[in-house]
Amino acid sequence: VAMLLFLVGAALMLLRTLLSLYRVVRMVRCGEKHRGPEGTVIVVTQNAVAPSSWMHYIILNQQDYHLAESAIIAHEVGHIKARHSLD
């Protein structure tokens, strides 16, 4: 029973991770792209998302992009440099 519960939990977590990855890739593919600092790409999306980064992409919603403070972008560049996408 314990092994079955573990396997079901692991399968659910894998499904959740793959769904999250699909959503990020879809945002990157469909978003408006702009050249960012230090080889990054800023992706502007219509979705209501918090500023985030994935691989070399910085994802911002339209409001954050138009109000983009250099501190937000510098923070996300720091995550990219630290390779947090691999976490």
Side-chain angles (χ1 to χ4, degrees), residues 32-36 41-45 49 51 58-70 72-73:
E32 181 181 319
K33 294 167 189 70
H34 302 273
R35 183 173 299 221
V41 177
I42 298 175
V43 177
V44 181
T45 181
V49 296
I58 297 172
I59 302 169
L60 301 172
N61 64 41
Q62 275 197 331
Q63 182 180 358
D64 286 338
Y65 178 71
H66 293 297
L67 300 173
E69 299 176 21
S70 58
I72 293 172
I73 294 174

Side-chain angles (χ1 to χ4, degrees), residues 7 9 13 17 23 29 35 38 42 58 87:
L7 291 174
M13 292 307 295
T17 300
R23 288 179 179 156
R29 290 186 76 200
R35 183 173 299 221
E38 301 186 40
I42 298 175
I58 297 172
D87 292 348

